[in-house]
């Protein structure tokens, strides 16, 4: 494989595979809890964080993470405490982040700030420190999710039953919000704000078409996530097109293929 | 009294401004089979959630002298029609009440198999939950409850949408859990005649507790069955 001789490609591939595993793994719980859009809301919210980081001179890696976590906790709190539907709470969060980001950027007009790399992702520009950052947060999230997958399944399936049988539902719920926020933060560097939720939702939708068990859904979603990243990355390299978009398009193509068996 | 499993004193509950439960007081002994009836919106589901610890009282107290509680919510079947999980995976969730991170042992698998046999779903272990009929799905939830070895089993209108023959079988299964496994059962139902012949205690709830006692006293002293049927329809 000649393309793997390039260090930037190796980094991109490693980081890509990480989110290929991470996004669908967390996504299964979000999709089944009817919270697919939460990732989208959190990603847009962190746009405010990026802008703030730029003008304050703090690394966007950090501000994205902080804003993602804050946004996730906020939306979770709003959904639980107010009478709003989840979608509405997410829409408010999303607008807040975007408005904040746009306003801050307009104030800081002079700064040299490549907004595109955050909106659309920049997988090929990942350097070693960013890869380390992703692995440092991503690997613990994967391990913790696997350790707690049964209780997470229980609160996803039926929160009331889980609570009645003595599970610490609020703690598990907050845990799910935190790992989702971290996942979004890591994914933004790769797929951009606009597509961060794609890998959280699309491979899971595909997995649900082809599996009848929860374990099967989890395994197939993650496999599809990883395949989409690898295929998308290689395609984008050889065809010289944007990697973020290509990866998402590949995952959509796989989803459509999984649907097509119903047309026969 | 040591054989009480539930004690409720002066319980009031509201979601928003208006109380949906007022001045509820009663206690329940272990191993009773307790049926609750009442019109729509009378607070039956709310009372069950308070007993199950899902909601907290606005005023008064709810004491439950066990932490081995299993709860089966209302309308479970329509909720899960897209959920990708097998019967076995759902029943296995019941084992989490013994610890949420422990690995599943051979013993856990045996308990799950036994419970599925008991509810007559041994063959359906690997089937997708949503492919089962409403009655079968209810039995999956019973199996999920059984594997957690509950002392208190709480069911919210479990027989809605199940045909009469299967309803009778379902009540028979509950009676067995109550008698043979010594599980205290609380069930909410619309089906007065079905429930009255099975339960050892029953209550009529409509915001307040209008009756609690033996089923035969309910019919003899309080209402004529026809009147209640009418009341429930209205
Ligand atoms: N989550 C909720 N928020 C606000 N009001 C509720 C909620 N759940 C139930 N209610 C109201 O509380 C009352 C009692 O409801 P419920 O306990 O479900 O009655 P039942 O089970 O007897 O039909 C009803 O008026 C219902 O509209
Ligand atoms: Mg109800």
């Amino acid at each position: 494989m000649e393309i793997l001789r390039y260090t930037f490609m190796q980094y991109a591939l490693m980081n890509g595979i990480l989110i290929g595993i991470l996004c669908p793994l967390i996504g299964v719980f979000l999709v089944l809890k009817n919270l697919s859009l939460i990732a989208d809301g959190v990603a847009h919210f962190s746009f405010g964080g990026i802008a703030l980081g730029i003008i304050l001179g703090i690394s966007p890696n950090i501000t994205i993470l902080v804003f993602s976590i804050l946004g996730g906790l906020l939306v979770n709190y709003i959904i639980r405490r107010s009478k709003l539907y989840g979608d509405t709470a997410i829409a408010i969060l999303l607008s807040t982040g975007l408005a904040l980001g746009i306003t801050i950027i307009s104030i800081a007009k002079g700064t040299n700030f490549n907004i595109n790399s955050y909106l659309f992702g920049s997988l090929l520009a990942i350097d070693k420190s960013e890869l380390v950052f992703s692995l440092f947060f991503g690997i613990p999230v994967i391990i913790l999710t696997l350790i707690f997958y049964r209780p997470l399944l229980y609160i996803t399936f039926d929160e009331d039953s889980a609570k009645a049988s003595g599970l610490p539902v609020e703690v598990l719920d907050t845990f799910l919000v935190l790992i989702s926020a971290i996942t979004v933060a890591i994914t933004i560097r790769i797929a951009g704000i606009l597509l961060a939720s794609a890998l959280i939702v699309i491979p899971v939708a595909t997995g649900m078409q082809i599996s009848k068990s929860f374990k099967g859904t989890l395994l197939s979603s993650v496999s599809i996530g990883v395949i989409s990243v690898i295929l998308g990355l290689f395609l984008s390299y050889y065809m010289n097109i944007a990697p973020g978009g290509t990866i998402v398009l590949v995952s959509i193509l796989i989803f459509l293929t999984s649907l097509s068996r119903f047309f026969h | 009294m040591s054989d009480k499993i539930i004690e409720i004193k002066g319980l009031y509950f509201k979601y928003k401004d208006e109380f949906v439960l007022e001045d509820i007081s009663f206690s329940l002994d272990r191993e009773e089979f307790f049926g609750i009836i009442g019109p729509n919106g009378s607070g039956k589901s709310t009372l069950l959630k308070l007993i199950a610890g899902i909601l907290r009282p606005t005023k008064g107290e709810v004491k439950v002298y066990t932490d081995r509680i299993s709860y089966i919510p209302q309308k479970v079947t329509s909720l899960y029609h897209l959920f990708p999980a097998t019967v076995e995976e759902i029943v296995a969730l019941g084992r989490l009440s013994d610890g949420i991170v422990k690995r599943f042992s051979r013993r856990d698998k045996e308990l799950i198999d036994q419970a599925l046999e008991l509810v007559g779903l041994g063959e359906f272990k690997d089937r997708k939950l949503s492919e089962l009929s409403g009655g079968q799905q209810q039995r999956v939830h019973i199996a999920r409850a059984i594997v957690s070895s509950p002392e208190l089993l709480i069911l919210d209108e479990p027989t809605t949408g199940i045909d009469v023959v299967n309803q009778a079988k379902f009540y028979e299964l509950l009676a067995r859990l109550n008698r043979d496994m010594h599980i205290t059962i609380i069930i909410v139902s619309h089906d007065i005649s079905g429930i009255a012949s099975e339960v050892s205690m029953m209550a009529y709830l409509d915001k307040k507790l209008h009756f609690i006692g033996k089923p035969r006293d309910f019919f003899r002293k309080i209402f004529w069955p026809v009147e209640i049927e009418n009341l429930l329809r209205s």
Side-chain angles (χ1 to χ4, degrees):
Chain A
M1 284 281 181
E2 73 152 86
I3 70 167
L4 291 182
R5 281 205 309 263
Y6 302 110
T7 320
F8 76 89
M9 256 308 181
Q10 293 169 3
Y11 289 165
L13 195 65
M14 277 192 268
N15 212 333
I17 289 173
L18 177 75
I19 65 160
I21 296 170
L22 194 55
C23 288
L25 187 66
I26 309 299
V28 170
F29 300 103
L30 295 182
V31 169
L32 292 176
K33 265 179 155 269
N34 256 327
L35 290 174
S36 308
L37 282 175
I38 208 173
D40 216 28
V42 164
H44 283 77
F45 186 65
S46 67
F47 185 63
I50 295 167
L52 204 64
I54 300 287
I55 60 161
L56 295 180
I58 306 169
S59 158
N61 276 340
I62 310 281
T63 51
I64 290 174
L65 189 65
V66 171
F67 265 64
S68 295
I69 291 173
L70 273 178
L73 292 174
L74 205 66
V75 85
N76 194 45
Y77 180 83
I78 295 175
I79 289 173
R80 283 184 175 271
R81 282 303 154 96
S82 76
K83 281 139 199 118
L84 292 176
Y85 288 104
D87 306 10
T88 315
I90 291 167
I92 293 172
L93 183 84
L94 190 150
S95 318
T96 310
L98 274 185
L100 205 64
I102 293 166
T103 313
I104 292 173
I105 287 170
S106 77
I107 296 169
K109 240 180 230 140
T111 49
N112 167 26
F113 169 39
N114 182 7
I115 191 172
N116 283 351
S117 82
Y118 293 101
L119 288 179
F120 305 115
S122 51
L123 181 52
L124 301 181
I126 298 291
D127 62 22
K128 192 167 188 174
S129 74
E130 278 171 318
L131 178 64
V132 170
F133 182 87
S134 298
L135 293 173
F136 180 80
F137 286 101
I139 289 175
V141 168
I142 292 174
I143 293 171
L144 284 171
T145 308
L146 292 177
I147 292 175
F148 289 106
Y149 105 86
R150 274 183 214 273
L152 286 174
L153 170 61
Y154 208 168
I155 63 161
T156 305
F157 179 68
D158 184 39
E159 209 173 283
D160 283 350
S161 299
K163 188 159 186 187
S165 63
L167 264 71
V169 170
E170 283 83 7
V171 175
L172 288 164
D173 202 64
T174 308
F175 170 69
L176 183 59
V177 169
L178 287 177
I179 57 179
S180 306
I182 293 171
T183 301
V184 169
I186 295 173
T187 308
I188 285 177
R189 288 301 284 148
I190 304 226
I193 287 167
L194 300 178
L195 290 176
S197 64
L199 279 176
I200 291 178
V201 175
I202 300 162
V204 176
T206 315
M208 282 173 70
Q209 303 301 324
I210 58 180
S211 327
K212 61 174 184 173
S213 69
F214 184 76
K215 222 177 210 160
T217 306
L218 212 63
L219 286 174
S220 57
S221 307
V222 167
S223 311
I224 292 162
V226 172
I227 291 168
S228 305
V229 166
I230 296 176
L231 260 178
L233 195 58
F234 282 31
L235 270 177
S236 76
Y237 176 80
Y238 287 113
M239 298 172 69
N240 198 21
I241 45 181
T246 314
I247 290 170
V248 173
L249 284 177
V250 168
S251 75
I252 290 173
L253 218 61
I254 301 175
F255 172 66
L256 291 176
T257 313
S258 79
L259 282 184
S260 70
R261 69 191 181 109
F262 293 110
F263 298 130
H264 295 306
Chain B
M1 285 266 296
S2 60
D3 62 346
K4 288 212 183 335
I5 192 159
I6 295 171
E7 259 182 309
I8 296 180
K9 279 188 202 140
L11 168 68
Y12 286 76
F13 185 84
K14 61 181 174 189
Y15 288 100
K16 294 171 199 153
D17 312 320
E18 210 183 315
F19 282 108
V20 300
L21 291 173
E22 280 179 6
D23 197 22
I24 310 278
S25 298
F26 68 92
S27 60
L28 191 71
D29 289 342
R30 280 177 192 274
E31 295 185 36
E32 294 277 10
F33 191 157
F34 181 39
I36 302 172
I37 59 170
N40 272 329
S42 59
K44 305 183 295 297
S45 296
T46 306
L47 180 60
L48 292 192
K49 285 181 186 168
L50 283 155
I51 295 171
I54 297 160
L55 297 173
R56 302 249 160 274
T58 310
K59 219 169 88 188
E61 48 179 35
V62 175
K63 285 200 179 128
V64 180
Y65 301 111
T66 175
D67 53 4
R68 307 210 66 101
I69 303 174
S70 210
Y71 167 79
I72 301 176
Q74 191 169 4
K75 288 206 197 86
V76 271
T77 52
S78 60
L79 276 174
Y80 308 136
H81 70 284
L82 281 176
F83 208 92
T86 62
V87 167
E88 187 182 21
E89 284 177 321
I90 295 304
V91 176
L93 296 178
R95 295 297 303 145
L96 290 175
S97 37
D98 281 356
I100 58 171
V101 288
K102 75 185 182 65
R103 279 190 68 85
F104 270 46
S105 63
R106 187 179 296 268
R107 172 93 189 112
D108 290 310
K109 297 214 168 68
E110 279 169 15
L111 284 171
I112 292 166
D113 286 344
Q114 282 168 14
L116 281 169
E117 286 301 328
L118 186 71
V119 302
L121 290 174
E123 321 265 275
F124 293 83
K125 200 166 129 169
D126 296 320
R127 290 277 285 275
K128 191 172 176 178
L129 180 72
S130 55
E131 288 168 0
L132 270 53
S133 73
Q136 288 170 330
Q137 289 194 34
Q138 281 297 1
R139 284 186 277 148
V140 172
H141 291 288
I142 299 289
R144 167 171 66 81
I146 294 172
V147 298
S148 68
S149 21
E151 291 177 357
L152 178 61
L153 174 60
I154 299 172
L155 307 108
D156 198 347
E157 300 202 28
T159 56
T160 311
I162 299 177
D163 62 77
V164 185
V165 178
N166 281 310
Q167 272 187 26
K169 280 190 195 158
F170 188 77
Y171 283 130
E172 212 172 285
L173 173 63
L174 291 184
R176 254 171 47 216
L177 299 184
N178 177 237
R179 203 178 47 227
D180 303 341
M181 299 173 80
H182 309 288
I183 300 173
T184 311
I185 295 181
I186 305 181
I187 180 172
V188 160
S189 177
H190 257 98
D191 161 36
I192 301 185
S193 41
I195 201 177
S197 55
E198 301 293 338
V199 298
S200 58
M201 264 252 281
M202 71 189 280
Y204 180 82
L205 183 74
D206 191 359
K207 200 191 270 191
K208 294 180 178 164
L209 201 58
H210 292 274
F211 171 85
I212 182 161
K214 300 277 170 220
R216 60 163 189 280
D217 297 332
F218 179 71
F219 289 118
R220 200 183 289 158
K221 293 182 191 160
I222 309 298
F223 292 111
W224 287 101
V226 188
E227 275 183 65
I228 302 154
E229 295 280 4
N230 286 340
L231 211 66
L232 287 183
R233 284 218 184 86
S234 62

